[in-house]
Amino acid sequence: MADLLTHIFVGYTIGMVLTWKYDKLKSAHVTAVMVGSTLPDLVRIRLLLDPVKIEQVLGIPFSWGPLHTAGGVIIIVAVGSLLSVPKESKIIFTLLLIGAASHLLLDALLISVSGYSYAVLWPFLDFHPPTPGLYLSTDVWPAMITGIIALLVRMQDQIR
Amino acid sequence: MVERLFKPMFESKRVRTTMMISLLVVLLILFIWYGSISPEPGKGRFPGNDELVEDYENYIGEKVEISGEVIETEPLKIEIESGDKTIELEITGLEEETEEGDRLTVFGTAAENRTIYVENALIRPLWRYVYMYGVSVVGATWIGFRVLGQWRFDREKFALEPRENPLTIREIIFRSKRGDEDG
C-alpha cells in the first residue's frame, strides 16, 4: 500500500479531469473518487482488530485481506453507493470504483521483497502477480510527485 | 424496462437496507474464506509472520516472507509478531548495516535454529513509518472536510446527498446553520 496521501492525490487528479469531461460532475463527485481511492486501505482495520485474535475468539479462520482485493472492494463500493440518494447511486458506484481501482493498481506496482505483489484480483483470480517494484509506501517522493500533479490540475481547473 | 424495475426498488429504504446487509454477509464470507487460504509459493503467496510464529519448524527449507523489528545487530536478530505471540529469528546473509529499532522485511529461506538466509531484504528506519502514517492522517483529514462540506445526510431518504451549496471549512468547523444543513 502506497501512503494514503499519494492515493488521495491520484484520486483527486482523476476526479478533476473527469469533471472537465463531464459537465454533470461537481466537486462532490471529485470527493467521491477521492473516497474511493482510500477504500482498499480499510484493510488497516487489522491494526485495531487483530485477525489472529479474532480467529482465536471465534474459532474460525479470519482475515481482513479481502478488503484490499478486487472482490472486497466491489462489495464495499456497492455498499457505499447504496448509502447515497437513489438518483446518485449509479454514478457514485462508478466514481468510487474508479478511485478504488486506481488504489489497487498503484499498490500492485509497490516494491516487494519476494518480487510478487498481492492477490489483486482475488477471488476472481487467486494469484499474486509479479511487481515491477517502483516505490515503497514509506517513500517520500510519491506523495510529492502526485501532490505536484494534483496542484497543477487544480490550477488548470481554475483557469478553465 | 430494467430502469423501470430498478428505480422504485432503489427508492425503497427497506430494499436498500436489505441489499446492504446481504452485501456485508457476502463480505464476511470472503473474510472467512481468505483466512482459510494457505501459503502457495507457486501463486506468489509465501509463508509469513503468522505461519512462522504459529509453527516455525513446519516451514524449514521453505521460502518465507516476513517482517519485524531489529532487536540485536551482532548477530542480526529480528522479532516477528502474530497476534499476542512473538518469536526471534536470526538473519544471515544481509550485507547492509542495520540499527536496533529498524524495520526489516525479508524474503529468504527458513533454516534450522530459527535462522533465515536472506535472498532479498528491505531495511527501513522507524521514522519512515511515522512519515507514512503522518501523511495518511493529513490525507484523511482533507477528505473528511470535503465530505462534510459537500455532502449532507438526508434523514427522510436515509441517504447521503450532494449539497446544493457546499460549506466552507469555517462553516464546517463552527457548524453554522444554513438552509440545507441537516446533520
Side-chain angles (χ1 to χ4, degrees):
Chain A
M1 37 201 80
D3 68 87
L4 196 59
L5 189 59
T6 299
H7 286 301
I8 295 171
F9 281 143
V10 172
Y12 175 83
T13 304
I14 296 172
M16 289 299 266
V17 172
L18 286 174
T19 62
W20 298 347
K21 238 182 141 196
Y22 303 98
D23 290 335
K24 215 172 59 173
L25 300 178
K26 299 184 287 188
S27 58
H29 296 112
V30 177
T31 304
V33 182
M34 292 166 75
V35 170
S37 77
T38 68
L39 293 178
D41 271 355
L42 285 177
V43 75
R44 300 246 174 109
I45 192 176
R46 63 161 72 114
L47 300 175
L48 298 173
L49 300 169
D50 191 327
V52 176
K53 287 178 195 159
I54 294 175
E55 286 190 340
Q56 286 162 358
V57 172
L58 301 181
I60 48 169
F62 191 90
S63 168
W64 294 112
L67 289 172
H68 203 281
T69 65
V73 156
I74 289 171
I75 293 176
I76 292 290
V77 164
V79 171
S81 66
L82 287 168
L83 284 172
S84 61
V85 284
K87 75 174 164 65
E88 295 276 340
S89 289
K90 217 163 101 185
I91 183 75
I92 293 302
F93 181 85
T94 312
L95 295 172
L96 289 176
L97 197 61
I98 290 171
S102 76
H103 184 126
L104 293 183
L105 180 68
L106 284 179
D107 279 3
L109 310 176
L110 282 168
I111 294 170
S112 136
V113 283
S114 68
Y116 293 94
S117 70
Y118 63 101
V120 189
L121 295 176
W122 191 85
F124 311 111
L125 198 62
D126 183 22
F127 178 67
H128 297 224
T131 165
L134 302 184
Y135 37 75
L136 288 168
S137 49
T138 46
D139 278 341
V140 177
W141 66 265
M144 291 181 66
I145 302 284
T146 53
I148 290 169
I149 295 171
L151 201 63
L152 291 175
V153 164
R154 188 193 171 87
M155 283 156 63
Q156 175 66 24
D157 187 69
Q158 277 163 352
I159 295 167
R160 284 169 69 95
Chain B
M1 171 66 196
V2 175
E3 282 282 299
R4 248 190 308 172
L5 189 71
F6 273 95
K7 264 231 167 107
M9 239 178 77
F10 278 113
E11 302 280 345
S12 151
K13 236 187 273 184
R14 221 179 56 198
V15 171
R16 280 197 302 132
T17 314
T18 312
M19 286 173 76
M20 273 190 256
I21 292 170
S22 323
L23 285 166
L24 292 175
V25 170
V26 176
L27 190 58
L28 186 65
I29 293 168
L30 291 189
F31 290 155
I32 296 165
W33 180 8
Y34 203 84
S36 70
I37 291 178
S38 322
E40 217 175 314
K43 290 178 175 173
R45 188 164 49 238
F46 299 93
N49 285 19
D50 291 341
E51 284 79 15
L52 295 196
V53 170
E54 175 81 34
D55 185 8
Y56 183 90
E57 275 64 34
N58 197 20
Y59 297 95
I60 287 176
E62 288 189 38
K63 292 262 191 283
V64 297
E65 190 174 358
I66 50 165
S67 64
E69 186 184 334
V70 175
I71 50 168
E72 240 184 271
T73 50
E74 294 286 339
L76 177 56
K77 277 190 177 171
I78 65 170
E79 184 179 77
I80 68 169
E81 236 180 41
S82 168
D84 284 332
K85 290 185 276 182
T86 59
I87 57 168
E88 288 177 18
L89 299 176
E90 195 175 318
I91 308 293
T92 29
L94 185 70
E95 284 164 20
E96 295 98 325
E97 292 278 308
T98 56
E99 278 178 40
E100 272 177 42
D102 284 349
R103 265 52 179 178
L104 204 62
T105 308
V106 175
F107 180 66
T109 309
E112 301 281 343
N113 300 322
R114 299 204 166 171
T115 302
I116 308 286
Y117 287 87
V118 174
E119 219 162 276
N120 192 13
L122 276 168
I123 306 159
R124 286 181 275 187
L126 184 61
W127 73 263
R128 296 283 212 130
Y129 288 90
V130 175
Y131 162 79
M132 180 179 77
Y133 284 107
V135 294
S136 297
V137 170
V138 171
T141 311
W142 179 23
I143 288 200
F145 274 111
R146 285 188 65 115
V147 171
L148 287 174
Q150 298 167 348
W151 291 79
R152 60 188 278 277
F153 189 72
D154 188 321
R155 285 189 200 134
E156 199 83 330
K157 296 177 193 153
F158 201 69
L160 291 160
E161 187 169 55
R163 287 180 192 274
E164 289 296 322
N165 306 299
L167 304 178
T168 61
I169 291 182
R170 182 186 291 261
E171 286 168 329
I172 298 166
I173 293 172
F174 296 106
R175 292 227 158 257
S176 73
K177 291 282 173 196
R178 279 190 19 177
D180 58 357
E181 174 83 36
D182 188 13

